[in-house]
Amino acid sequence: QQPVQSPQAVILREGEDAVINCSSSKALYSVHWYRQKHGEAPVFLMILLKGGEQKGHDKISASFNEKKQQSSLYLTASQLSYSGTYFCGTGNAGNMLTFGGGTRLMVKP
Amino acid sequence: NAGVMQNPRHLVRRRGQEARLRCSPMKGHSHVYWYRQLPEEGLKFMVYLQKENIIDESGMPKERFSAEFPKEGPSILRIQQVVRGDSAAYFCASSLAGGENQPQHFGDGTRLSIL
């Protein structure tokens, strides 16, 4: 069963913040975050492993709550280049990832 | 270019023909994953291969679809007797090692259109 992402879509003005959530009905061992621009390959952003850790680089960070079986991606002071569809992929102690349906983010000037 | 290479970028086939999609992983990577993506949808796992072995094919239809990753050469996703419903973007990803704690790096995909 695929993880549920929310919101499905969000529109921001440059400089605004956004949070994208990813929830799973199964126990999570890892969460991967990717960004995909239209017609392009998904680009790896970060991976979080179980343990409630938080990671980040530049103005994009993420948290992983193992008990709640969810992860959140935080985008602060958004830039035009942040536009795209964000996918979370969840690992459930196997080899494969199960991806959510995506969150479409549009950043306007 | 040291990234994941997929070819062709676009492939058009008529119903009943065969489609062959190729994927060369990043240099040094021996783990390959195939995903299918329909427009405006997420990535659906199909198959996971390590050199010469299929590790997990739970997402791949049992009929008409097959995948291989030979000792030499690229990984191949083969679709026989294609139907309209096979139209999609097919992405390949590779990782340095196996397991869910490894980042996967994606190729640009092959967009398959069935006439």
Side-chain angles (χ1 to χ4, degrees):
Chain A
Q1 199 165 3
Q2 67 176 136
V4 176
Q5 287 186 234
S6 62
Q8 287 187 317
V10 59
I11 300 175
L12 298 175
R13 290 283 176 196
E14 219 175 344
E16 291 181 338
D17 302 341
V19 179
I20 299 172
N21 300 301
C22 174
S23 297
S24 175
S25 58
K26 294 182 179 181
L28 290 179
Y29 289 81
S30 68
V31 179
H32 300 224
W33 284 98
Y34 291 81
R35 177 173 61 215
Q36 183 180 31
K37 293 186 183 284
H38 185 70
E40 298 182 10
V43 174
F44 173 76
L45 294 176
M46 65 187 77
I47 179 174
L48 299 102
L49 304 178
K50 64 176 181 175
E53 65 177 273
Q54 187 148 354
K55 266 192 169 184
H57 61 86
D58 199 12
K59 296 185 176 69
I60 300 176
S61 62
S63 63
F64 178 22
N65 189 317
E66 184 187 341
K67 285 185 181 176
K68 291 186 178 179
Q69 297 173 184
Q70 65 186 33
S71 174
S72 295
L73 186 72
Y74 306 95
L75 303 148
T76 57
S78 58
Q79 305 167 17
L80 295 176
S81 62
Y82 286 4
S83 293
T85 301
Y86 289 78
F87 291 101
C88 68
T90 56
N92 307 107
N95 291 306
M96 54 175 276
L97 295 180
T98 305
F99 284 88
T103 295
R104 288 157 191 74
L105 175 72
M106 181 184 293
V107 180
K108 293 186 172 181
Chain B
N1 186 346
V4 178
M5 302 297 292
Q6 287 189 249
N7 68 81
R9 287 293 307 274
H10 300 274
L11 182 61
V12 180
R13 284 288 177 265
R14 295 190 180 280
R15 281 178 294 171
Q17 290 184 323
E18 178 180 290
R20 280 185 175 238
L21 288 61
R22 295 174 188 76
C23 169
S24 296
M26 280 181 74
K27 190 174 182 181
H29 287 194
S30 59
H31 298 256
V32 165
Y33 312 80
W34 285 94
Y35 295 88
R36 184 162 93 165
Q37 186 177 40
L38 294 172
E40 308 302 321
E41 293 189 10
L43 298 147
K44 295 287 192 295
F45 168 80
M46 297 182 73
V47 60
Y48 163 40
L49 309 102
Q50 194 182 356
K51 277 290 184 181
E52 298 186 272
N53 292 305
I54 296 176
I55 308 300
D56 187 334
E57 55 182 349
S58 57
M60 197 159 68
K62 301 230 181 315
E63 295 182 359
R64 303 188 299 107
F65 285 74
S66 62
E68 63 177 11
F69 190 14
K71 189 176 178 182
E72 303 290 337
S75 174
I76 307 280
L77 179 68
R78 183 181 176 205
I79 311 173
Q80 294 178 290
Q81 299 175 329
V82 296
V83 300
R84 288 250 170 90
D86 296 333
S87 295
Y90 292 84
F91 287 95
C92 164
S94 73
S95 62
L96 186 61
E100 57 194 336
N101 61 345
Q102 297 293 317
Q104 296 181 17
H105 300 274
F106 283 80
D108 286 334
T110 293
R111 278 139 191 89
L112 177 64
S113 298
I114 309 301
L115 301 179

